[in-house]
């Protein structure tokens, strides 16, 4: 299989089932932004490869599962509204994020003010992934309820919360410096 097809050279791309749309279509923007968030999660994980951390394997496994689900969320967004997807997001996927957020949050120092994205490189990359997930959520919202499974918007919303807590968890686990926002500038 060749990587390039030349079919997109005139500014269109194919959705799942082959429907061609402009590359600046909100649906393309939404699933492309999910792909971008997924890539940022991958970048974050690459910074953990060299770390000697007792919880690294369990953390990586959780994050790889999130990447897989996010890939499927992108596929759901890439499916035209009048077509059926083979894999559909479920409430259990959102609950899984919430359960992990709660578990990690119990181990973290309570937040007393905003923090600056900083610390360990993996943490900073997870903060970036969080902001990209928020953009994917905003784009999905812009598509309207009839065009998107409402669970997709909920998942992306919760995913950004998950990534925020994951960034804090990595910083704490690897002694990254969490910098509080200062009110006076």
């Amino acid at each position: 299989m060749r990587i390039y097809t030349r079919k997109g050279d005139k500014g269109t791309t194919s959705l799942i089932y082959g429907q061609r749309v402009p590359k600046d279509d909100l649906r393309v923007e939404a699933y492309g932004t999910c792909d971008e968030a997924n890539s940022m999660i991958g970048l974050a994980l690459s910074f953990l490869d060299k770390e000697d951390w007792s919880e690294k394997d369990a953390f990586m496994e959780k994050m790889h599962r999130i990447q897989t689900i996010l890939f499927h969320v992108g596929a759901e967004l890439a499916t035209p509204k009048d077509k059926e997807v083979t894999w559909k997001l479920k409430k259990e996927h959102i609950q899984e994020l919430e359960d992990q957020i709660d578990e990690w949050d119990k181990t973290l120092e309570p937040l007393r003010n905003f923090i600056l994205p900083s610390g360990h490189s993996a943490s900073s990359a997870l903060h970036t992934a969080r902001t990209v997930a928020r953009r994917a959520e905003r784009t999905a919202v812009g598509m309207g309820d009839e065009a998107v499974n409402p669970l997709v918007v909920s998942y992306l919303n919760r995913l950004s919360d998950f990534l925020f807590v994951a960034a804090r968890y990595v910083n704490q686990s690897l002694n990254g410096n969490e910098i509080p926002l200062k009110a006076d500038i």
Side-chain angles (χ1 to χ4, degrees):
M1 178 176 152
R2 284 190 336 214
I3 296 298
Y4 60 91
T5 63
R6 297 185 180 112
K7 291 180 181 178
D9 289 354
K10 295 193 177 174
T12 64
T13 192
S14 290
L15 299 178
I16 293 176
Y17 294 103
Q19 177 185 343
R20 301 226 34 106
V21 296
K23 287 187 176 186
D24 63 356
D25 185 274
L26 275 181
R27 186 170 294 283
V28 176
E29 183 65 31
Y31 73 73
T33 306
C34 286
D35 186 38
E36 187 180 344
N38 210 335
S39 296
M40 283 307 305
I41 293 169
L43 178 64
L45 298 180
S46 74
F47 292 127
L48 296 175
D49 284 342
K50 61 187 174 291
E51 294 295 342
D52 184 21
W53 173 32
S54 63
E55 299 161 48
K56 180 172 83 172
D57 290 344
F59 183 84
M60 298 287 266
E61 187 176 317
K62 285 178 180 114
M63 297 307 287
H64 288 146
R65 176 159 170 75
I66 296 307
Q67 285 185 287
T68 301
I69 293 169
L70 186 54
F71 188 90
H72 286 292
V73 167
E76 193 164 333
L77 287 166
T79 303
K81 66 180 177 179
D82 58 336
K83 300 290 185 182
E84 195 61 33
V85 295
T86 56
W87 183 93
K88 213 168 188 114
L89 194 61
K90 299 179 182 124
K91 288 181 182 179
E92 295 83 36
H93 296 111
I94 297 166
Q95 187 63 52
E96 184 180 330
L97 290 175
E98 291 175 354
D99 291 346
Q100 188 60 66
I101 289 168
D102 293 343
E103 183 181 322
W104 284 336
D105 205 38
K106 287 177 194 173
T107 70
L108 297 172
E109 190 70 31
L111 281 176
R112 293 180 181 21
N113 53 337
F114 290 108
I115 58 171
L116 299 175
S118 58
H120 192 279
S121 299
S123 177
S124 295
L126 288 168
H127 276 297
T128 303
R130 168 185 58 83
T131 65
V132 176
R134 283 282 185 219
R135 182 163 26 98
E137 176 192 4
R138 291 190 305 271
T139 305
V141 166
M143 292 171 59
D145 291 343
E146 69 282 345
V148 178
N149 172 358
L151 291 177
V152 165
V153 174
S154 296
Y155 186 84
L156 292 171
N157 182 28
R158 212 69 79 253
L159 177 63
S160 60
D161 297 334
F162 171 89
L163 293 168
F164 176 78
V165 174
R168 295 194 69 220
Y169 181 74
V170 166
N171 258 344
Q172 177 180 282
S173 299
L174 298 174
N175 300 314
N177 189 21
E178 196 168 80
I179 302 171
L181 176 68
K182 295 181 180 175
D184 56 332
I185 50 174

